[in-house]
Amino acid sequence: MGLMYREKKMLKMKAILLLLVCLNVGLLSVIADSGVQTCPANLEAGCGGADSDGWEGEFFPGIPKIKYEGPSSKNPLAYKYYNANEEILGKKMKDWMRFSVAFWHTFRGTGGDPFGAPTKVWPWEDGTNSLAMAKRRMRANFEFINKLGVDRWCFHDRDIAPDGKTLAESNSNLDEVVALAKELQGSHVKPLWGTAQLFMHPRYMHGAATSSEVGVYAYAAAQVKKAMEVTHYLGGENFVFWGGREGYQSLLNTNMERELDHMAAFLKAAVDYKKKIGFNGTLLIEPKPQEPTKHQYDWDVATTGSFLRKYGLSDEFKINIECNHATLSGHSCHHELETARINGLLGNIDANTGDPQIGWDTDQFLTDISEATLVMLSVVRNGGLAPGGFNFDAKLRRESTDVEDLFIAHILGMDTLARGLCNVAKLLEDGSLDELVRKRYQSFDSETGAAIEAGRADFDMLEKKAMEWGEPSVPSAKQELAEMIFQSSL
C-alpha cells in the first residue's frame, strides 16, 4: 500500500509540474504582448541567433497585392471604392487619405481583453519578445504594407523593439530594429508618425511628464528624445504625444496646477529638441478623456487647445483626433474635427470607432458610411490633412483570428473612407447643403451684421437697431431638410 501510494503521489506531482509548465508558456505569451521582456534582448539563454530571425518565405502566402476592382467586385481581398489614383475634388484619393498601418494593433494585438486571454498568435510568432522576434515582426509589417498598397506606418518605440534592463540597452535594441526598418522602407515608405510609449511600464503608474517623481520625468524625457531621433531618421512626418497616464485618479492627493506646469515644460523641451535635431515633422497631441486614468489632462480638443494657448504652445502643436476618443468625451468625431479645424489645430486622424453599447475604447475599424462622410467633410473643408493622414488605430475583433482578417479589416476601413470622400464630392457639387447654411445666416450679410462681425458694433448701436426693428422674426433652422440633403448623398 505504501509503494502504491508513493507511485500515485509521484504521478500526481508530475501532472502538476506538467500543468505548471503549460501555464507558464501561456503566461509568457501574454507577457510578451504586454511589452515586458520575456527573452533577453541580447538573445542569450537559447533564444535564437541575433543576426537572423529564423523565418523564411512569405508571411502572408496566398494573399496577392490588393487591387481596385470596383463596387461590383465580390472579392474580399480587393478594393471596391478606394481607387488610389482616382482624382476627387482636385486631388488623388491617396493624397486625400494618406493611409497608415498601426504597428501595435496589427502586429502586437493578440485579441486579449480585460476579461480574457489572447485568442490569436500569428504563424510567425515564437512566444518571445526578443530582438530576433522584433525583426521578424518588422519584416511582416512591410510585407503587409506593400501588399495593402499603402506607403505609411505608425509605431510606438516599445512596440517595435524590446525593453532592455537599462535605458542604454533599450536604446540599443531600438537602434537595431530601426536600422532594419530603414532598409525595408526603401524610398517609397515612411512613418506617418512615431511616438514613445509612456504608459505601460510600472515606472509610469503616476504619469510620465506629470509624474510626482523627478526621476520618472527625466526617464520619460530621455525616452521621447530617442523616439524622436529614430522617427526623424526614418523620415517620419509627425510625432505624437498621447498622455495615457497624464491625469489623475483623485484630486485629494494631486497638485493639478503643478502637474500641468510640468507637462507644459516637458512639451516645450520637446519643441526645443525637435528644432535642435532639424526634425521638421509636426508635433501632435492626442486627446482622450479618461481610461486608464479617471481624468486625463487632454480631455478633448477644446481642453487641449486651451492648454496649448495658456502655455504658448499653440503654434508648435496640432491635434491628432481619434474618433473613439471623441465619443468617450461625449462628442461626435465630426464635432472634434470641426473644433480642431476652425482653431487651426487639425493635424491627423486615428481612424477608428467605438460601439455605442460598450463603454470603453474598443478601437474598431470605421465602417459607418454616414460617419465616414462627416469625417471627410471636415477633411475636405480643411484642404486635406498633409503632413498628417489617416492612421488605422484599430484592431481585429477578439473573435477574428485568421491572418487574412488583417487585410479584410483594412480594406473595409479604406473603402469606407473612400465612399465618404465620394459622398462629400456629391454634396459639394450639388450645393444644396451649403446654400441652406448660407441662407440661415444671411441676415449677418447686412450692413449691421458686417459691423458685428468686424467688431465695430457696440451696445449703444445695437440697442438703437433693436428699437428700430422691433420684435425680430425668427425663421426655421430646416434641420430635417439638411438631414434629407445629407442622407441623399450616401
Side-chain angles (χ1 to χ4, degrees):
M1 287 294 291
L3 180 62
M4 287 183 64
Y5 173 78
R6 285 196 297 272
E7 287 176 347
K8 287 181 179 179
K9 188 173 182 181
M10 287 294 292
L11 287 172
K12 186 175 182 181
M13 289 177 66
K14 288 179 181 179
I16 291 172
L17 285 172
L18 180 60
L19 177 61
L20 287 172
V21 169
C22 292
L23 288 173
N24 188 48
V25 170
L27 179 61
L28 286 174
S29 177
V30 175
I31 292 174
D33 181 63
S34 73
V36 177
Q37 189 178 338
T38 61
C39 183
N42 60 10
L43 298 182
E44 293 173 352
C47 288
D51 296 326
S52 172
D53 58 35
W55 182 268
E56 296 180 3
E58 287 186 89
F59 292 88
F60 305 98
I63 296 181
K65 189 174 179 65
I66 308 303
K67 297 180 180 178
Y68 172 73
E69 294 184 3
S72 62
S73 174
K74 302 298 182 184
N75 179 7
L77 295 174
Y79 296 117
K80 286 79 176 172
Y81 297 92
Y82 177 62
N83 186 3
N85 291 308
E86 180 181 354
E87 191 167 295
I88 303 287
L89 296 172
K91 288 183 185 180
K92 292 180 179 180
M93 271 196 183
K94 65 179 183 180
D95 295 327
W96 279 116
M97 307 304 190
R98 295 167 58 82
F99 286 129
S100 170
V101 171
F103 188 93
W104 55 97
H105 281 320
T106 308
F107 293 98
R108 302 308 305 272
T110 65
D113 65 22
F115 307 98
T119 59
K120 42 185 164 266
V121 178
W122 303 128
W124 54 83
E125 290 288 335
D126 64 9
T128 74
N129 194 28
S130 65
L131 266 173
M133 189 62 247
K135 291 178 180 179
R136 188 184 300 173
R137 291 189 195 104
M138 190 58 68
R139 292 204 292 117
N141 174 56
F142 281 98
E143 183 181 319
F144 181 78
I145 286 172
N146 289 328
K147 285 190 171 182
L148 197 62
V150 301
D151 51 16
R152 289 174 177 83
W153 64 297
C154 293
F155 67 92
H156 297 77
D157 52 357
R158 297 297 182 258
D159 296 326
I160 63 173
D163 213 350
K165 295 177 181 177
T166 65
L167 180 60
E169 185 181 354
S170 296
N171 288 347
S172 177
N173 294 343
L174 187 58
D175 283 338
E176 194 162 336
V177 175
V178 165
L180 176 63
K182 181 77 168 179
E183 176 187 336
L184 295 172
Q185 278 188 168
S187 59
H188 68 287
V189 179
K190 56 187 172 184
L192 180 63
W193 52 258
T195 188
Q197 190 191 79
L198 304 177
F199 51 88
M200 183 174 287
H201 195 282
R203 77 173 67 90
Y204 296 125
M205 66 179 178
H206 302 310
T210 61
S211 176
S212 53
E213 297 300 316
V214 70
V216 174
Y217 185 100
Y219 198 106
Q223 193 174 332
V224 167
K225 175 181 179 291
K226 184 63 178 179
M228 191 180 294
E229 288 169 357
V230 300
T231 301
H232 180 37
Y233 173 72
L234 290 170
E237 298 177 280
N238 305 270
F239 188 87
V240 169
F241 293 84
W242 178 60
R245 302 283 177 186
E246 314 293 22
Y248 63 80
Q249 301 292 0
S250 172
L251 280 175
L252 292 175
N253 64 347
T254 300
N255 187 331
M256 183 164 64
E257 182 178 17
R258 201 170 188 185
E259 289 195 1
L260 287 168
D261 287 347
H262 290 171
M263 187 163 72
F266 191 95
L267 295 176
K268 287 176 182 177
V271 170
D272 291 341
Y273 193 68
K274 165 195 164 177
K275 294 176 180 177
K276 180 178 180 179
I277 65 174
F279 176 48
N280 295 319
T282 302
L283 300 181
L284 301 167
I285 294 180
E286 180 177 324
K288 189 178 183 181
Q290 72 278 316
E291 199 187 64
T293 62
K294 183 172 77 172
H295 179 99
Q296 286 172 214
Y297 292 136
D298 48 9
W299 181 276
D300 60 5
V301 170
T303 305
T304 305
S306 177
F307 169 86
L308 292 173
R309 283 189 293 272
K310 175 183 176 181
Y311 289 101
L313 291 166
S314 54
D315 291 335
E316 303 291 351
F317 285 83
K318 290 195 175 183
I319 294 180
N320 179 47
I321 294 171
E322 181 172 323
C323 288
N324 201 169
H325 292 179
T327 52
L328 288 176
S329 66
H331 306 303
S332 67
C333 189
H334 191 214
H335 167 89
E336 290 290 85
L337 292 171
E338 285 296 282
T339 302
R341 182 184 71 81
I342 63 178
N343 284 283
L345 293 173
L346 179 53
N348 193 80
I349 298 174
D350 273 3
N352 64 16
T353 191
D355 190 313
Q357 292 180 286
I358 300 177
W360 65 80
D361 190 5
T362 54
D363 287 330
Q364 296 171 232
F365 280 84
L366 177 59
T367 61
D368 186 287
I369 305 302
S370 176
E371 184 175 6
T373 303
L374 290 170
V375 167
M376 291 310 304
L377 188 58
S378 288
V379 171
V380 170
R381 285 172 173 167
N382 197 60
L385 292 171
F390 283 96
N391 172 49
F392 284 110
D393 190 1
K395 59 190 175 187
L396 294 180
R397 295 305 87 199
R398 177 177 167 79
E399 303 81 8
S400 298
T401 57
D402 292 340
V403 167
E404 75 164 8
D405 293 336
L406 290 170
F407 285 90
I408 292 170
H410 282 81
I411 290 167
L412 177 57
M414 293 164 74
D415 271 345
T416 300
L417 285 163
R419 291 180 71 178
L421 177 61
C422 292
N423 291 341
V424 171
K426 284 191 279 184
L427 271 175
L428 296 181
E429 287 164 7
D430 174 73
S432 299
L433 187 60
D434 284 344
E435 179 62 12
L436 185 152
V437 175
R438 187 198 67 78
K439 285 183 176 179
R440 189 177 179 206
Y441 295 92
Q442 65 183 352
S443 67
F444 279 88
D445 295 331
S446 65
E447 182 179 346
T448 302
I452 292 170
E453 292 183 343
R456 299 194 308 270
D458 59 23
F459 276 10
D460 289 331
M461 171 191 169
L462 294 173
E463 181 189 44
K464 182 179 179 181
K465 288 294 182 182
M467 293 289 190
E468 177 185 334
W469 292 338
E471 185 64 31
S473 174
V474 182
S476 169
K478 311 299 287 185
Q479 180 177 327
E480 290 75 16
L481 178 57
E483 290 170 347
M484 179 184 289
I485 295 168
F486 176 78
Q487 291 295 328
S488 69
S489 72
L490 303 183

